[in-house]
Amino acid sequence: FVWARYPEAYQGKMSTLDFSLMLLDKADVAVSPGSAFGPAGEGYVRMSLVENEERLAEAVRRIGAALK
């Protein structure tokens, strides 16, 4: 798993839950909101790296497009 801070442009404007739902809606990529793991997780999302390299690269492309 990778824990990553979500972009500063979204911090303070939406929770990690809202950010995760936005990625699911706009990018068709599922990440776990850090807040699901306790208050210290707010500000982070958790991503699983169990897919093959091609699928992970596609997920990164989709996330990038959704954040533009």
Side-chain angles (χ1 to χ4, degrees), residues 8-20:
E8 282 188 40
Y10 296 90
Q11 293 176 20
K13 296 179 181 161
M14 63 173 54
S15 67
T16 54
L17 175 59
D18 292 332
F19 182 76
S20 298

Side-chain angles (χ1 to χ4, degrees), residues 45-67:
V45 293
R46 189 176 91 156
M47 296 174 269
S48 174
L49 302 178
V50 297
E51 290 291 342
N52 65 51
E53 189 174 331
E54 290 175 22
R55 280 195 51 120
L56 292 173
E58 177 65 23
V60 169
R61 281 191 292 276
R62 288 180 183 194
I63 290 170
L67 297 180

